[in-house]
Amino acid sequence: MPSWSTVRDDFPALHQKVNGHPLVYLDNAATAQKPQVVIDTLSHFYERDNSNVHRGLHALSMRSTDAYEGARSRIAKFINAAAPEEIIFTRGTTESINLVAASWGGANLKAGDVILLTEMEHHSNLVPWQLIAKRTGAKLRYLPVTGDDGLLDLARLDRVLTPEVKVFAFTHISNSLGTINPVTELCARAKKVGAITVIDGAQAIGHMPVDVRAVGCDFYAFSGHKMAGVTGIGVLYGRRALLDAMPPWQGGGGMISNVDFFESRWKPTPERFEAGTPNFADAVALGASCDYLDALGRDQIQKHDGELARVAYEKLSTLPGIRLLGPAPSQQERGGLVSFAFADVHAHDIVTFADEDGIALRGGHHCNQPLMRKLGLTGTTRASFYVYNTPEEIDVLVKSLQRILKFFAG
């Protein structure tokens, strides 16, 4: 088991003060801080191996290509993909889902087909499906959320997951509710009606073990910057049989086997979906973040983050007038975040005042506008946790909120 008290030493950004207070970074659902080993990996690559991949015959290009493809293999192992060819590098979760919607959806959806989503989806797993629905004539359908407890209404799943559904897209962990969805069950039930599954794994990938073959999903999308990796790199996992049947999403160099003036032929996956110069340096750094997280133990990370969420939920519940979203710890295990609202204090005011105490929170709709409207909210304040956070920081948060509530109460 890792020594959580020393993990903080691995993250240089945490060793600073904000407004005269030690930084309490509770905005990890937006982006996580980076350990020194990841920063060093990126720096070392640029200092020694920087060269474009795949087409060069000189030493730097061959080293760069080996490191890039080595990162692909490392990430395949990280999520237990069947082969490295099932890993496509993208800019992040958003681009990964857009790729599936445009390529698979454009080739397979037609008028009368149904795209099933849930009411808790991030805009990144909602807007791309709206766009492809308009292009193809497919219809959107939603599995409801039960209310403030943030659970999917699974009792209604059979009514909405019908043979007309061709794709079922859903989040693994809600970025605003902290709900951990039963993804294995959802994939199995989708398979029974012949629907493919697309999972938004942005909030899960760095916080818990993920085994895409055990889950049984067809596609799984995630971002590097939320799993202690750098920004600008992400992954789309796809089952090889599906990827091989999908047309390219973008055209350019690197993804072709032959080009003439009137037509082109494509390389096999994954190159088919990686047009142009790939983000090879950040991919190498993402491999280092996989090593770092596995050294800590993702099962231990899940326990650590879940315990912080439990403590935060219980301590925040003592504040007067607070409205907490997502399942109570007594209902089910939570992901490592807690969202809350006060009737008379705007989320942006809470975030601004908390910053005076050196606390980094997130306030707003969290790219969940339809969900917020359903719950009668314009937004919430969100505290989200990661490997370097401590129970003592939750006490600092509660004390800050008490000060803020006292100020607004006059």
Side-chain angles (χ1 to χ4, degrees):
M1 180 180 295
S3 175
W4 299 112
S5 60
T6 61
V7 166
R8 293 180 65 86
D9 296 337
D10 297 338
F11 294 82
L14 300 177
H15 305 154
Q16 60 179 296
K17 290 188 175 182
V18 172
N19 293 318
H21 299 274
L23 172 62
V24 176
Y25 187 79
L26 302 179
D27 195 19
N28 297 285
T31 196
Q33 296 301 330
K34 322 306 175 192
Q36 189 67 53
V37 65
V38 171
I39 297 170
D40 290 345
T41 297
L42 186 63
S43 178
H44 179 270
F45 181 89
Y46 278 129
E47 290 170 354
R48 183 176 182 272
D49 298 331
N50 179 53
S51 181
N52 214 331
V53 296
H54 291 154
R55 293 179 293 279
L57 299 177
H58 56 82
L60 266 65
S61 181
M62 288 188 283
R63 290 205 305 257
S64 179
T65 299
D66 287 346
Y68 179 62
E69 293 303 331
R72 194 189 307 276
S73 296
R74 179 65 183 91
I75 292 157
K77 181 180 178 182
F78 191 72
I79 62 172
N80 195 30
E85 290 77 15
E86 295 185 321
I87 301 301
I88 297 167
F89 286 117
T90 65
R91 290 183 300 153
T93 308
T94 300
E95 184 168 88
S96 295
I97 296 172
N98 273 275
L99 192 163
V100 178
S103 179
W104 185 92
N108 291 279
L109 293 173
K110 62 184 185 304
D113 290 340
V114 173
I115 302 165
L116 180 61
L117 308 171
T118 84
E119 290 182 338
M120 67 172 65
E121 295 312 308
H122 188 281
H123 296 166
S124 293
N125 201 26
L126 196 162
V127 178
W129 301 111
Q130 292 176 341
L131 293 173
I132 198 64
K134 289 182 179 179
R135 279 179 49 194
T136 63
K139 298 179 180 179
L140 299 171
R141 186 183 292 171
Y142 290 88
L143 178 63
V145 172
T146 53
D148 280 9
D149 61 4
L151 300 175
L152 293 177
D153 189 355
L154 296 179
R156 296 186 61 181
L157 184 57
D158 285 338
R159 279 181 272 172
V160 294
L161 184 56
T162 60
E164 295 82 11
V165 174
K166 303 305 177 185
V167 56
F168 184 15
F170 48 87
T171 187
H172 196 157
I173 298 179
S174 168
N175 70 302
S176 61
L177 300 169
T179 309
I180 303 176
N181 285 321
V183 291
T184 304
E185 177 187 352
L186 296 179
C187 288
R189 292 175 72 170
K191 188 175 182 178
K192 288 182 179 179
V193 300
I196 70 157
T197 47
V198 182
I199 300 180
D200 171 357
Q203 299 298 334
I205 188 65
H207 297 267
M208 64 190 301
V210 173
D211 183 333
V212 291
R213 284 192 278 178
V215 169
C217 58
D218 294 300
F219 297 98
Y220 195 97
F222 59 92
S223 302
H225 71 98
K226 295 185 181 183
M227 54 178 284
V230 297
T231 57
I233 190 72
V235 169
L236 173 66
Y237 157 79
R239 283 199 303 111
R240 183 68 184 269
L242 289 173
L243 292 174
D244 285 345
M246 287 163 52
W249 180 39
Q250 296 176 325
M255 49 76 69
I256 48 83
S257 61
N258 187 68
V259 176
D260 66 26
F261 284 120
F262 297 101
E263 64 178 2
S264 302
R265 291 190 291 273
W266 325 124
K267 285 184 178 179
T269 185
E271 290 93 343
R272 179 186 305 175
F273 301 105
E274 295 181 4
T277 296
N279 190 359
F280 47 81
D282 290 348
V284 173
L286 183 57
S289 75
C290 292
D291 291 341
Y292 181 81
L293 296 177
D294 274 343
L296 293 179
R298 281 178 282 165
D299 55 343
Q300 297 299 320
I301 294 172
Q302 183 176 8
K303 291 178 182 178
H304 171 268
D305 295 354
E307 176 62 14
L308 288 179
R310 182 192 67 79
V311 171
Y313 189 100
E314 292 178 352
K315 290 191 174 183
L316 290 172
S317 67
T318 65
L319 296 174
I322 196 168
R323 181 180 174 185
L324 290 161
L325 298 185
S330 59
Q331 288 179 285
Q332 69 167 56
E333 180 186 6
R334 295 178 60 98
L337 64 90
V338 178
S339 288
F340 55 92
F342 295 95
D344 299 323
V345 188
H346 196 282
H348 291 168
D349 290 328
I350 292 174
V351 172
T352 301
F353 276 67
D355 183 62
E356 296 177 353
D357 296 327
I359 304 170
L361 299 170
R362 180 71 46 163
H365 54 68
H366 313 297
C367 291
N368 285 138
Q369 286 182 318
L371 174 65
M372 294 295 159
R373 292 191 188 100
K374 175 188 172 80
L375 299 178
L377 294 163
T378 57
T380 67
T381 305
R382 183 182 67 195
S384 51
F385 313 105
Y386 207 24
V387 295
Y388 36 71
N389 292 124
T390 67
E392 290 76 19
E393 289 180 314
I394 296 173
D395 292 334
V396 174
L397 170 63
V398 172
K399 184 177 180 181
S400 178
L401 291 172
Q402 289 171 335
R403 178 182 74 86
I404 295 167
L405 292 174
K406 183 176 180 180
F407 175 86
F408 280 95

